[in-house]
Amino acid sequence: MKKLTLISVPITVALLAYTSYLALIVAPTEQTMGDVQRIFYYHVPSGWVAGLCFFINFVASALYLWKRSPASDALAAASAEVGVVFCAVLLITGPLWARPVWGIWWTWDARLTTTLVLWLIYVSYLVLRRFAAGGQTQVLAAAFAIFGFADVPIVYMSIRWFRTQHPSPVMGGGENSGLAPAMLHVFLINLVAFTVLGILFVWLRYQLQMQEQALESAHAQLALKGVSR
């Protein structure tokens, strides 16, 4: 596993460097928005990875409630943490893109509002895991995560269900949502790169979470031995 990590990290860094070159230099400049549109190549993949991480958290949480597996709980925690980070990137890059285009940093648009709520849900999930006392913390967190995931499809469908300022989806969102072939090529490569980065972060955090669980279990066993004496 350590060898796999040592190999995957430099490959991921090289891939991200290449995709940054494509996004910032190779991709054509959008005629209406200009260079600020290049944020798109980071904004949308960040949202995709956040949604993917929250889906992994949902599945891992359901598995934990079913099997009570420590590995499932560790995966749920790891994916939620990484998802929150990428969702934060999504919320930061959005206003940076919106200010020059819309003339405002933020509006309580359906897509923006539901995304902020999503971020707050999973921040609350992490706070619950960190500070809740008692032996049922993992169970409560898993149940909370399953209900919290309901906001993910709402975020995705918000621009289809409601009238919003947010642009249409890149693919499958209507006649004005398509990208020029050169832009689409760069976007898809960035999407792959960000997905690889997200999976790598989840994997590394999962390994650390498993080590933390093992350490806590060892401390609990030592405490029990001390009490029994």
Side-chain angles (χ1 to χ4, degrees):
M1 294 299 180
K2 197 172 286 187
K3 185 179 290 186
L4 178 63
T5 301
L6 291 174
I7 294 172
S8 60
V9 169
I11 290 176
T12 303
V13 171
L15 182 60
L16 288 170
Y18 175 62
T19 56
S20 293
Y21 166 73
L22 292 178
L24 300 177
I25 298 174
V26 174
T29 303
E30 208 275 336
Q31 293 182 356
T32 304
M33 292 181 280
D35 283 328
V36 71
Q37 183 269 345
R38 297 181 189 277
I39 294 176
F40 160 82
Y41 299 110
Y42 303 94
H43 178 71
V44 178
S46 295
W48 156 254
V49 175
L52 178 62
C53 288
F54 295 148
F55 176 72
I56 294 172
N57 172 267
F58 169 76
V59 174
S61 297
L63 286 174
Y64 178 77
L65 290 179
W66 180 31
K67 300 262 188 175
R68 294 296 195 272
S69 165
S72 297
D73 181 63
L75 181 59
S79 56
E81 288 183 8
V82 177
V84 164
V85 171
F86 277 94
C87 194
V89 173
L90 178 70
L91 289 168
I92 291 169
T93 54
L96 291 176
W97 185 6
R99 181 66 176 87
V101 177
W102 294 348
I104 53 174
W105 293 102
W106 182 269
T107 180
W108 293 102
D109 172 281
R111 168 58 68 89
L112 278 66
T113 303
T114 54
T115 302
L116 177 60
V117 170
L118 182 67
W119 182 79
L120 291 172
I121 286 171
Y122 283 94
V123 168
S124 301
Y125 167 85
L126 295 176
V127 171
L128 173 64
R129 292 189 61 96
R130 178 68 179 83
F131 295 107
Q136 296 298 311
T137 298
Q138 287 84 357
V139 174
L140 291 173
F144 182 85
I146 290 171
F147 284 107
F149 182 76
D151 192 40
V152 173
I154 295 174
V155 171
Y156 179 75
M157 295 300 295
S158 58
I159 51 180
R160 295 171 173 84
W161 289 345
F162 308 103
R163 185 186 299 275
T164 72
Q165 283 188 278
H166 194 280
S168 298
V170 174
M171 294 173 285
E175 58 181 6
N176 297 320
S177 61
L179 287 175
M183 290 182 174
L184 181 60
H185 174 74
V186 173
F187 166 71
L188 292 176
I189 294 176
N190 270 269
L191 197 65
V192 171
F194 270 65
T195 302
V196 171
L197 179 65
I199 292 173
L200 177 62
F201 281 166
V202 171
W203 170 251
L204 294 175
R205 188 62 187 91
Y206 168 76
Q207 295 294 320
L208 183 59
Q209 188 71 21
M210 290 295 290
Q211 292 174 11
E212 290 176 359
Q213 286 184 356
L215 187 60
E216 289 174 1
S217 177
H219 285 165
Q221 290 178 3
L222 287 173
L224 287 173
K225 287 181 180 178
V227 170
S228 62
R229 290 176 184 175

